[in-house]
Structures are given as C-alpha cells and as structure tokens.
C-alpha cells in the first residue's frame, strides 16, 4: 500500500496492498489530506480530526470478493480496505505506539445507491472505488489516543453509494494477552455452558449464501430453522486461506473478515428461507455490527438470526431486516443488524 500526503490534486493509483491483509492483491493508495495549518508539521501527532482518501480498483480475480453470481461488487471490499488502513492511520498520524495493535469493535455501512454496486454486465472490468475517511482520536490519555473513530463515504466509479462508521481500539499487548487467556479459561471453567454441535457441521448450500467455491462457505446448514429463526455454526475449517487471522494478531481467533462473512451469509440464508429472497440477486443494503469479544477458532461458534417482516425500499425492492447474534459457550461475541435487499 502506498501513502501520500497532500492537500489537493487527484489521486494516483499505484502499489500493491500488503500481502498480510485480506485485500492482498488489490491495488490501493492512501492519500492524507491534512489541513493547511498542519501540513508542515506532519511528524507531529495530530490532536484532532484528520482526512484521508483510500483509492483502488475493484478486483476481478479475488478468491472471495469475485466468488459468486457477480451481480454486485462485494461490500467486503470496502470493509476490508478500512480494516487495512485503520491501524496504519493510528500509528502514523496520531502517535499511537507501534507495538499496540488496532482492533475494530464496531462497524456500520449503509448503501445509499444500490445501482452503483451493480457490476458491469460484460464482466471483468474493474472500476474505481474511493473511500473518504475522517478519523478522530478517542479516549485520549497523556496525549495518546486509546482508540479512533472513523466516518466513511464510499464512491464507486465517481458515484456516492454508501456511508458508514467504525470504531477501533488500540490494545496493550501484555494486558490483551492476559485478557484473552482469562476469557478462555473462564469459558472452559463452566462446563454447564458448553454449546457444541451434535456432530460435524455440514456446510450450507453455496446457492443459499451466494458464493461459488466450497471453501468460501463459512456457515453450516441450519440446525434449527423455524418461524424466521435460523441457528447455524460458523465453520473454522476447512475454509479458504483468505480467512486466516492475518488482520487480528496471532491469538488463535477468528478474523474480522471471517466473522463479517459469516454474518453476511447467514443474513442471506435467513432472508431467503423466511421470505423467499433470491440470494444471487441480493446483498446487504445495511449492516451494523458491534463486537463484544474475540472468538477462539478452537471452540464452537454459534450464529443465531431472526428475520423481520418483509418490506420494500424506496425503489420498491423487497427488503428483510435480520437480527443476528454470535455466541461462544453462550457468551456474546457479536451482535448485528442487517438489511437484505433483493435487486430487480
């Protein structure tokens, strides 16, 4: 990934993304747009809001983002790109020590123009995705932020198409390791809270989750489905290496990409079974996710989803709200609300 500091002029796309990220292989360029007063003091940590633009072409051969019917650009392109740069922004521009990894604990994205997310009918043509990012320090202690708050504006091919927000916390490595160890010990110390499948989970049908490759399926066939409620398991293996935990450290946890994909797949499956929406022509029109903890890959992870009533958006397209909860040993890992919309 290349980084540029400028106040004006159009962005230039060049340079590969870091191979350690979920968006490896996607060309990205991060442009810092400092205010005039701070332009000549870039080495000093920023005390306030900073503006950035993240620019890149949508991929055409990515093993996950280009897997499926191809009716829409994958929302995970936008979420993954922000995950890639959030930690860099904190370390480089806000004075966060380099040994403190960043972890997103909330994320929200609302599509404002669904038509902009449609792919080229001819296929294979990348387009420019531009994400304007406003970053502000949060919970500042001794002039060093413990976290960052982000506001996002997404454009595809020059068309505004989504707005979002995110929150990141920077971790004290030693304290975080102790926290992870304590949490896992606590979960294993209460056997009456055990929550595990009766047998090896069977992957969900690829058509119901709008993917094409078997190793991109990260949820099981529902073990309980009635009256709009779906209960499934998040698969840790065998899955594509793209879900490896490169973006969240090395504590044996599910990556953010893995969990977001599980929420996406469960939302589509739930909307399809509850109200008959066609997964191949559906996407998440909105999502709000709050992570309450980390999920260990060596323990079963359950996802429960409840579909709301069938509605229509402003263009008359079918929409279904879905409420989801990820739990491990009956402890909440994440809570989410999504809206599944089916295109014409």
């Amino acid at each position: 990934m290349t980084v540029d500091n400028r106040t004006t002029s159009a962005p230039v796309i060049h340079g590969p993304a870091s191979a350690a990220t979920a968006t490896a292989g996607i060309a990205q360029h991060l442009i810092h747009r400092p205010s005039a007063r701070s332009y000549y003091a870039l080495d000093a940590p920023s005390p306030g809001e900073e503006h950035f633009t993240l620019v890149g072409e949508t991929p055409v051969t990515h093993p996950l983002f280009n897997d499926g019917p191809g009716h829409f650009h994958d929302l995970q392109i936008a979420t993954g790109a922000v995950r890639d740069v959030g930690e860099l922004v904190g370390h480089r521009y806000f004075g966060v020590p380099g040994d403190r990894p960043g972890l997103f604990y909330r994320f929200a994205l609302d599509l404002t123009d669904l038509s902009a997310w449609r792919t080229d009918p001819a296929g294979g043509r990348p387009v420019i995705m531009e994400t304007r990012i406003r970053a502000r320090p949060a919970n500042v202690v001794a002039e060093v932020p413990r976290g960052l708050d982000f506001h996002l504006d997404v454009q595809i091919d020059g068309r505004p198409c989504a707005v979002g927000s995110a929150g990141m916390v920077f971790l004290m490595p030693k304290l975080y390791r102790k926290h992870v160890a304590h949490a896992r010990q606590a979960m294993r110390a209460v056997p009456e809270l055990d929550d595990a499948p009766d047998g090896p989970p069977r992957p969900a049908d690829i058509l119901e989750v709008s993917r094409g490759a078997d190793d991109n399926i990260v949820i099981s066939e529902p073990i309980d489905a009635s009256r709009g409620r779906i209960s499934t398991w998040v698969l840790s293996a065998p899955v594509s290496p793209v879900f490896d935990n490169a973006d969240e450290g090395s504590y044996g946890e599910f990556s953010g990409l893995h969990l977001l994909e599980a929420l996406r797949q469960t939302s589509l499956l739930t909307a399809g079974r509850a109200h008959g929406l066609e997964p191949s022509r559906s996407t998440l029109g909105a999502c709000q996710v709050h992570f309450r903890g980390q999920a260990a890959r060596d323990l079963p992870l359950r996802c429960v989803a409840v579909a709301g009533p069938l509605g229509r958006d402003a263009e008359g397209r079918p929409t279904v709200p879905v409420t989801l909860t990820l739990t491990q040993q009956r402890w909440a890992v994440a809570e989410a609300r999504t809206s599944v919309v089916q295109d014409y």
Side-chain angles (χ1 to χ4, degrees):
M1 178 184 297
T2 57
V3 180
D4 188 11
N5 298 300
R6 63 178 71 185
T7 54
T8 58
S9 77
V12 179
I13 304 169
H14 56 88
S18 166
T21 67
T23 49
I26 301 176
Q28 295 183 103
H29 188 46
L30 179 66
I31 302 166
H32 179 213
R33 300 187 182 278
S35 61
R37 63 178 173 77
S38 64
Y39 186 66
Y40 298 103
L42 294 175
D43 291 336
S46 174
E49 185 173 274
E50 294 291 333
H51 292 227
F52 304 86
T53 302
L54 182 64
V55 185
E57 291 185 334
T58 55
V60 294
T61 60
H62 193 277
L64 178 66
F65 302 151
N66 299 116
D67 179 48
H71 190 83
F72 294 107
H73 296 292
D74 199 312
L75 269 67
Q76 296 256 45
I77 302 172
T79 62
V82 174
R83 287 198 305 273
D84 290 348
V85 304
E87 190 175 280
L88 168 68
V89 165
H91 292 158
R92 179 160 184 167
Y93 298 99
F94 289 94
V96 177
D99 64 343
R100 297 184 187 179
L103 184 70
F104 280 103
Y105 65 91
R106 62 175 176 85
F107 192 89
L109 191 69
D110 292 275
L111 272 59
T112 56
D113 183 359
L114 189 66
S115 64
W117 290 87
R118 296 189 188 110
T119 56
D120 180 7
R125 184 179 72 89
V127 294
I128 302 300
M129 178 178 286
E130 176 180 310
T131 303
R132 295 184 179 270
I133 303 170
R134 300 202 310 266
R136 292 187 62 85
N139 191 19
V140 178
V141 177
E143 299 184 345
V144 176
R146 298 289 179 88
L148 292 176
D149 292 327
F150 298 92
H151 176 82
L152 317 171
D153 290 284
V154 183
Q155 295 184 13
I156 295 179
D157 215 9
R159 300 168 60 185
C161 60
V163 296
S165 63
M168 168 175 275
V169 61
F170 289 93
L171 310 169
M172 304 286 194
K174 291 183 179 180
L175 290 177
Y176 183 62
R177 284 194 291 270
K178 289 181 179 179
H179 170 74
V180 170
H182 175 75
R184 292 181 182 176
Q185 182 180 12
M187 284 192 291
R188 290 180 169 89
V190 189
E192 59 268 27
L193 296 182
D194 284 349
D195 187 26
D198 295 331
R202 181 166 58 90
D205 189 308
I206 58 176
L207 297 179
E208 288 196 279
V209 298
S210 195
R211 289 298 183 196
D214 291 338
D215 62 354
N216 282 333
I217 308 306
V218 297
I219 63 169
S220 74
E221 177 69 18
I223 55 174
D224 180 25
S226 61
R227 297 184 180 180
R229 181 184 185 274
I230 295 289
S231 181
T232 187
W233 297 102
V234 179
L235 306 179
S236 59
V239 294
S240 169
V242 74
F243 297 111
D244 285 348
N245 208 8
D247 63 332
E248 305 292 348
S250 56
Y251 301 101
E253 298 154 351
F254 284 95
S255 68
L257 176 68
H258 200 144
L259 297 182
L260 287 173
E261 179 64 15
L263 294 170
R264 187 200 73 87
Q265 292 186 14
T266 305
S267 296
L268 293 183
L269 188 149
T270 302
R273 295 211 176 178
H275 297 291
L277 269 63
E278 175 55 50
S280 66
R281 292 190 294 123
S282 298
T283 187
L284 300 189
C287 65
Q288 298 88 37
V289 185
H290 185 92
F291 294 101
R292 296 192 173 277
Q294 293 292 90
R297 290 175 65 98
D298 61 347
L299 289 174
L301 180 63
R302 183 190 291 270
C303 184
V304 174
V306 179
L310 178 66
R312 300 277 174 175
D313 69 3
E315 302 295 326
R317 289 179 287 247
T319 63
V320 176
V322 182
T323 302
L324 306 102
T325 306
L326 290 171
T327 59
Q328 193 162 63
Q329 301 295 84
R330 308 186 194 280
W331 294 55
V333 170
E335 297 169 340
R337 292 185 62 85
T338 65
S339 177
V340 180
V341 56
Q342 179 183 291
D343 204 6
Y344 297 125

